[in-house]
Amino acid sequence: MQIRISSSDGIPIYRQIVNQVKYLVAAGRLTAGDQLLSVRTLAEQLVVNPNTVSRAYRELESAGVITARQGSGAFVTDNGSPLALREKRKVLRERVDMLLAEADSLDVDVTTVIKLLRDRSRKFKSE
Amino acid sequence: MSDVIVNFDRLSRSFGAKQALNEVTLQVERGSVFGLVGENGAGKTTLIRHVLGLLKAKLGAVRVFQLDPVQHPKDVLGRIGYLSEDRDLPDWMTVAQLLRYSQAFYREWDETFADQLRDQFDLDPRQKIKQLSRGQRARAGLVVALAHRPDLLILDEPSSGLDPVVRRDILTAIIRTVADEGRTVLFSSHLLEEVERVADWVAMIRNGRVGLSGPLPDILQNHRRLVLRFESPQLTEPDLPGAISCQGTGREWTVMCNGGVEELRAAASRAGARIVDDDTPTLNEIFLAMASSSTDPRGAS
């Protein structure tokens, strides 16, 4: 479970964990039935308070992404592809919003952004 | 068993003309990581000294495990693991001697665990304390503080002057301590990124007074940082209701508030400003905003 936390992001740590787990699931790197790291283990790995991890896991559970089985841990749920697709779009939409905000503050118009996206996509595919 | 591990009740203390603590009222709950933040000289160490019974409460009271630490030193200190800022250790002892010496003070000392920690921190038992680097000294102090699995771990500016690897060892120790049920951590720090990662509750001390105190998630959620772009350059600091701080020049100003975001947004709009950034500030930003604020902090929130 590769998760990275940024200390001074403006995004609360628990939310970063939630977003990244959702992303891992949507990207297929965590699949149905996979067991998540225990709260304690993940807290130690990320060097954050265990309550922060608990909070993230609770939110993931109420979002239906994971399910906690008493005593044995948290597992990725068996969610159909429509949800995964919705999640994928949501993750990307957040990143698009950040990109647009940054472009706006740099005074770069959206046509230039789209061209940049196309250029980078081409480079990406050729590697 | 009560849930309040440390209780400060209107604790005040002066040293000559200087008022080091002024009506400090705080509770540290069992199982929590309590972060004490403030500038150097704000009163954090004085507060910690009261917990350890090194200072006797003259005005107000302090209770640790419901006991007065001055009246019950053995019962209180026997359950506390303490790492001081200057890592005060006997220079002439070897690491092994230090551990054997410390073991005598704590009924709950676990020799196997102490050895495990020593090994994990790569401390050579035969090395003299005075030969250790700063980081290794801190690690040695950490072993002594942790080996008896204290109910209360107290760290006074644990990270000061240490490299990232040792700092991570210290933060990991904090996390492991509270992950073990029933154990509590009280630490003072001015490294707010670290406090933001591990604390459950934060209290800001300024000139001996508690300026802000509450669960960390609440503090972060209640504060808001807005960056405003005015139509015309502002020659003086814009007057916006509810702003704790207002920094900037010309057209762009960064404003911080604690609650009342909607009013602030509306006021900004009326003043002819566009909101170009609107997010949760970091603990560091909140702290700096409060430090620059001219109002004197009043009691706990």
Side-chain angles (χ1 to χ4, degrees), chain B residues 11-23 46 50 55-59:
Chain B
L11 188 65
S12 300
R13 173 68 154 205
S14 20
F15 297 108
K18 165 146 183 162
Q19 181 101 40
L21 295 174
N22 197 336
E23 303 262 315
T46 308
H50 278 91
L55 287 175
K56 186 176 159 139
K58 295 226 173 108
L59 275 173

Short mmCIF file of all heavy atoms in Angstrom, two decimals, chain B residues 11-23 46 50 55-59:
data_model
loop_
_atom_site.label_atom_id
_atom_site.label_comp_id
_atom_site.label_asym_id
_atom_site.label_seq_id
_atom_site.Cartn_x
_atom_site.Cartn_y
_atom_site.Cartn_z
N LEU B 11 -3.04 27.38 36.77
CA LEU B 11 -1.66 27.38 37.24
C LEU B 11 -0.97 28.67 36.85
O LEU B 11 -0.96 29.06 35.69
CB LEU B 11 -0.93 26.17 36.66
CG LEU B 11 0.48 25.90 37.18
CD1 LEU B 11 0.43 25.54 38.66
CD2 LEU B 11 1.11 24.77 36.39
N SER B 12 -0.42 29.33 37.84
CA SER B 12 0.34 30.55 37.57
C SER B 12 1.69 30.46 38.26
O SER B 12 1.83 29.79 39.28
CB SER B 12 -0.40 31.78 38.11
OG SER B 12 -1.66 31.92 37.50
N ARG B 13 2.65 31.13 37.66
CA ARG B 13 3.99 31.08 38.26
C ARG B 13 4.82 32.24 37.77
O ARG B 13 4.87 32.52 36.58
CB ARG B 13 4.66 29.78 37.86
CG ARG B 13 6.10 29.66 38.27
CD ARG B 13 6.21 29.56 39.76
NE ARG B 13 7.44 28.87 40.11
CZ ARG B 13 7.66 28.20 41.21
NH1 ARG B 13 6.75 28.16 42.13
NH2 ARG B 13 8.78 27.59 41.42
N SER B 14 5.46 32.92 38.71
CA SER B 14 6.40 33.96 38.27
C SER B 14 7.78 33.70 38.84
O SER B 14 7.94 33.07 39.89
CB SER B 14 5.92 35.35 38.64
OG SER B 14 4.98 35.32 39.65
N PHE B 15 8.76 34.17 38.11
CA PHE B 15 10.14 34.14 38.57
C PHE B 15 10.59 35.58 38.65
O PHE B 15 10.88 36.22 37.65
CB PHE B 15 11.02 33.36 37.58
CG PHE B 15 10.64 31.92 37.45
CD1 PHE B 15 10.00 31.46 36.29
CD2 PHE B 15 10.88 31.02 38.48
CE1 PHE B 15 9.64 30.12 36.18
CE2 PHE B 15 10.51 29.69 38.37
CZ PHE B 15 9.89 29.24 37.22
N GLY B 16 10.59 36.12 39.84
CA GLY B 16 10.91 37.54 39.99
C GLY B 16 9.85 38.36 39.28
O GLY B 16 8.66 38.17 39.48
N ALA B 17 10.30 39.22 38.40
CA ALA B 17 9.36 40.09 37.70
C ALA B 17 8.68 39.39 36.53
O ALA B 17 7.65 39.83 36.04
CB ALA B 17 10.11 41.32 37.19
N LYS B 18 9.24 38.28 36.11
CA LYS B 18 8.69 37.65 34.91
C LYS B 18 7.55 36.68 35.26
O LYS B 18 7.70 35.78 36.10
CB LYS B 18 9.80 36.88 34.19
CG LYS B 18 9.25 35.91 33.17
CD LYS B 18 10.07 35.72 31.93
CE LYS B 18 9.28 34.76 31.05
NZ LYS B 18 9.59 34.70 29.73
N GLN B 19 6.42 36.87 34.56
CA GLN B 19 5.29 35.96 34.74
C GLN B 19 5.43 34.83 33.75
O GLN B 19 5.18 34.99 32.57
CB GLN B 19 3.99 36.73 34.48
CG GLN B 19 2.74 35.91 34.66
CD GLN B 19 2.05 36.18 35.99
OE1 GLN B 19 1.96 37.32 36.42
NE2 GLN B 19 1.59 35.14 36.65
N ALA B 20 5.87 33.67 34.23
CA ALA B 20 6.14 32.57 33.32
C ALA B 20 4.88 31.82 32.92
O ALA B 20 4.75 31.34 31.80
CB ALA B 20 7.13 31.60 33.95
N LEU B 21 3.94 31.68 33.87
CA LEU B 21 2.67 31.03 33.57
C LEU B 21 1.55 31.87 34.15
O LEU B 21 1.67 32.39 35.26
CB LEU B 21 2.60 29.63 34.19
CG LEU B 21 3.59 28.59 33.66
CD1 LEU B 21 3.47 27.31 34.48
CD2 LEU B 21 3.34 28.29 32.19
N ASN B 22 0.47 31.99 33.41
CA ASN B 22 -0.63 32.85 33.83
C ASN B 22 -1.97 32.15 33.66
O ASN B 22 -2.49 32.05 32.57
CB ASN B 22 -0.58 34.14 33.00
CG ASN B 22 -1.40 35.24 33.62
OD1 ASN B 22 -2.34 34.99 34.38
ND2 ASN B 22 -1.05 36.48 33.31
N GLU B 23 -2.50 31.64 34.77
CA GLU B 23 -3.83 30.99 34.77
C GLU B 23 -3.96 29.91 33.70
O GLU B 23 -4.93 29.88 32.94
CB GLU B 23 -4.92 32.05 34.52
CG GLU B 23 -4.92 33.20 35.51
CD GLU B 23 -5.94 33.00 36.61
OE1 GLU B 23 -7.08 32.61 36.31
OE2 GLU B 23 -5.57 33.22 37.79
N THR B 46 8.46 25.41 31.71
CA THR B 46 7.99 25.67 33.07
C THR B 46 6.78 24.80 33.39
O THR B 46 6.66 24.23 34.47
CB THR B 46 7.63 27.16 33.25
OG1 THR B 46 8.72 27.96 32.83
CG2 THR B 46 7.28 27.48 34.69
N HIS B 50 6.42 21.53 36.19
CA HIS B 50 5.38 21.33 37.21
C HIS B 50 4.86 19.90 37.18
O HIS B 50 4.54 19.33 38.21
CB HIS B 50 4.22 22.31 37.01
CG HIS B 50 4.46 23.67 37.57
ND1 HIS B 50 5.01 24.69 36.84
CD2 HIS B 50 4.23 24.17 38.81
CE1 HIS B 50 5.10 25.78 37.59
NE2 HIS B 50 4.64 25.49 38.79
N LEU B 55 8.95 21.74 39.96
CA LEU B 55 8.47 23.01 40.48
C LEU B 55 7.20 22.73 41.25
O LEU B 55 6.36 21.94 40.84
CB LEU B 55 8.16 23.98 39.33
CG LEU B 55 9.35 24.59 38.59
CD1 LEU B 55 8.86 25.42 37.42
CD2 LEU B 55 10.19 25.46 39.52
N LYS B 56 7.07 23.38 42.41
CA LYS B 56 5.86 23.20 43.20
C LYS B 56 4.86 24.28 42.83
O LYS B 56 5.22 25.45 42.72
CB LYS B 56 6.24 23.30 44.68
CG LYS B 56 5.12 23.00 45.62
CD LYS B 56 5.63 23.05 47.05
CE LYS B 56 4.46 23.25 48.01
NZ LYS B 56 4.58 22.44 49.21
N ALA B 57 3.62 23.88 42.63
CA ALA B 57 2.59 24.84 42.24
C ALA B 57 2.35 25.84 43.35
O ALA B 57 2.00 25.48 44.47
CB ALA B 57 1.30 24.11 41.89
N LYS B 58 2.56 27.14 43.04
CA LYS B 58 2.36 28.16 44.06
C LYS B 58 0.97 28.77 43.98
O LYS B 58 0.32 29.04 44.98
CB LYS B 58 3.41 29.26 43.90
CG LYS B 58 4.82 28.77 44.17
CD LYS B 58 5.61 29.71 45.05
CE LYS B 58 6.95 29.13 45.46
NZ LYS B 58 8.06 29.80 44.77
N LEU B 59 0.52 28.99 42.73
CA LEU B 59 -0.83 29.51 42.52
C LEU B 59 -1.52 28.56 41.55
O LEU B 59 -1.02 28.33 40.46
CB LEU B 59 -0.77 30.90 41.88
CG LEU B 59 -0.62 32.09 42.81
CD1 LEU B 59 -0.41 33.36 41.99
CD2 LEU B 59 -1.87 32.26 43.68
#
